[in-house]
Amino acid sequence: MRTLCLEHGAGAVYTELTSAEGIRRDSEKTFQVLDTGANEHPIAGHIFGRDPEAMAEAARYVEQTGLFDWIDINCGCPVRKVVSRGAGAALLKELPLMGEIIETVKQAVSLPVSVKTRIGFNNDTADHAEIAKVVEQSGADMIAVHARLARNFHGGDPDWHALGEMKQQLKIPIIGNGGVNAPEDAQRMVEVSGVDGVMIGRGAVGNPWIFEQIRNGAGAPSPEDRRDMMAEHLRRLVELNEVKQKNGSRPHKYSPEEAACIQFRTHIPYYVKGMFD
């Protein structure tokens, strides 16, 4: 998915969320998350955790692989299994700890360090202005902000005006995220908030063309384009599973082809969305 997005105009990509404790404990499954393609740049090693030393150790490992262009600290994931560990968006309820993590990671590596976060956890915790202040004062080189509260996950309208308020107070670059599902959404976000860049997540699933549409006004993909992209995506998934099974030590229930087909099932509805209306 990342390589397809880069080939169609994405400016940079992130790895999947990677556990700092998994790196510290030498977890094979965790290391597989950090696998990258040969030409997969620019790319950030995206780590999460709540222990500053574990995060620093993970950041050093990410840097030492030589595979990554910068390190990203996740302070915004609202998924229960992450928040229940006191990591991800849970750090928005503990800004001093969040600041300590950023400072410790920044001191541990020479690569640039960014922070992925949200405009807040809920209405009773620190707001976007406080979050922006802590991130910048702790030494981050960039911040990417999903314009919804963590408690709302992906529901409701994103607050792009909050992004604008953060942009006004920050000296470091701010990347806006949330609610961009079409080229016109990206344009509106920039107009409303003045952010330095736009991050797209769910809007690119089944639609890697969205980046070149935003960049140069490319048209909508034809049915043939969609078919060819689906075939290429599936082919790359097969290759990825072949590599994982070759390098892994655990027994495998499915062949690389079977595993790829199972994984690809979630992408199919997005690729064909709107084709049969």
Side-chain angles (χ1 to χ4, degrees), residues 40 49 57 70 83 88 99 101 118 134 139 151 154 163-164 188 216 266-267:
E40 204 172 339
E57 187 175 333
W70 84 99
V83 172
I101 289 171
R118 290 197 170 223
V134 169
R151 73 168 188 179
H154 298 282
L163 297 181
R188 285 182 50 244
N216 54 35
T266 59
H267 292 270

Side-chain angles (χ1 to χ4, degrees), residues 27 88 149 208 227 242 261:
S27 166
L149 296 173
R227 178 199 61 201
E242 287 174 344
C261 288

Side-chain angles (χ1 to χ4, degrees), residues 93-104:
K93 298 186 287 185
E94 299 182 79
L95 292 192
L97 176 59
M98 186 176 81
E100 182 183 354
I101 289 171
I102 297 168
E103 290 178 3
T104 305

Side-chain angles (χ1 to χ4, degrees), residues 113-139:
V113 174
S114 65
V115 174
K116 176 73 170 69
T117 188
R118 290 197 170 223
I119 59 172
F121 188 86
N122 57 37
N123 291 323
D124 300 321
T125 56
D127 67 10
H128 56 282
E130 296 173 88
I131 293 165
K133 181 179 179 181
V134 169
V135 170
E136 184 165 71
Q137 289 184 346
S138 300

Side-chain angles (χ1 to χ4, degrees), residues 158-175:
D159 187 352
W160 293 344
H161 291 286
L163 297 181
E165 292 170 6
M166 296 174 84
K167 168 63 180 174
Q168 289 299 313
Q169 78 176 79
L170 288 166
K171 294 183 175 63
I172 60 174
I174 175 172
I175 308 299

